[in-house]
Amino acid sequence: MRFLLVEDEAVLREVVQNSLIQAGHRVDAAATAEQARHLWRVQPFDAVLLDLNLPDANGLDVLREQRKRGDRTPVLVLTARNRTDERIAGLDAGADDYLGKPFELAEVEARLRALVRRAQGAEDRTEVGGLLLDRRARRLFVRARGAGPPAELELPAREFEVLLELMTPPGRVVNKQTLSDKLSGFDDALGHNALEAFVSRLRRKLHGSGATIRTLRGLGYLVEPEKGGAE
Ligand code: CA
């Protein structure tokens, strides 16, 4: 997933950013309300992590502006613990959830994932061909032919993220730009050739799963049951 992290405290920003990157996400970071406004307007995000006390404005002003523009990106507000007034103000301004400081890093990712899942209205489990995606557990399985439990298919974080995008929901065409945006940071756009190579590699790993990634020339990619596969 791709997140916008708005936090003026450098150490906290780097720790949270690194932990989300480690978990396989892309993170664009902003230290001021001005940077946050800019990034939020030029780039779609799966969710925004928003600190309230910023040097040039209150984070809630940025949030209100975005909501006024019709932006519905899920927002997790970071508030000082025991500040009920901040929480209420955050929810009033259009935040979807809040997290009190200090917080556990693992909780940040879990909350962001829950927000995105809720926003997408996604089912916890999706199946294509014999490929099973469990969003809550963030695991993939391949259903065995005949009897036997499904076998886990372990993928590197970035490959998992691409498959998650293609399968949410499955059967729709995802254009190359959307996928390369998911995979790239703000400054290091992934070229189309690199994306093709990435998808070919992933396609080989799905061999035998009953699902495949089809390329629709000029349009993008699609996950669908493999013809004559493990149906
Ligand atoms: Ca702050």
Side-chain angles (χ1 to χ4, degrees), residues 30-167:
T32 63
E34 193 189 343
Q35 286 171 7
R37 283 186 183 104
H38 173 69
L39 286 168
W40 203 339
R41 285 176 191 185
V42 298
Q43 172 68 50
F45 294 100
D46 292 297
V48 176
L49 192 58
L50 183 66
D51 177 38
L52 297 187
N53 302 309
L54 298 170
D56 52 342
N58 188 302
L60 291 183
D61 294 338
V62 180
L63 175 56
R64 278 192 205 98
E65 288 160 22
Q66 286 298 119
R67 292 294 186 243
K68 213 179 259 180
R69 296 159 63 91
D71 184 292
R72 294 302 317 154
T73 309
V75 172
L76 177 61
V77 160
L78 300 174
T79 67
R81 206 174 276 281
N82 303 327
R83 286 287 302 272
T84 311
D85 55 331
E86 282 195 344
R87 273 188 247 157
I88 292 168
L91 296 172
D92 279 349
D96 299 271
D97 197 5
Y98 59 85
L99 192 57
K101 291 181 184 182
F103 47 78
E104 298 284 334
L105 285 174
E107 185 160 18
V108 176
E109 206 231 347
R111 293 283 199 100
L112 287 171
R113 273 196 271 127
L115 277 188
V116 173
R117 215 167 40 225
R118 211 196 298 162
Q120 292 173 338
E123 298 288 327
D124 284 345
R125 284 171 160 254
T126 298
E127 186 165 356
V128 179
L131 184 67
L132 277 160
L133 168 68
D134 184 333
R135 288 189 182 78
R136 191 176 289 270
R138 291 180 65 78
R139 294 169 78 184
L140 275 164
F141 299 89
V142 175
R143 204 180 275 290
R145 286 172 201 244
E152 180 152 17
L153 176 65
E154 288 186 49
L155 293 177
R158 276 164 41 115
E159 295 181 14
F160 180 88
E161 286 299 325
V162 164
L163 216 45
L164 183 68
E165 175 68 28
L166 288 167
M167 289 179 78

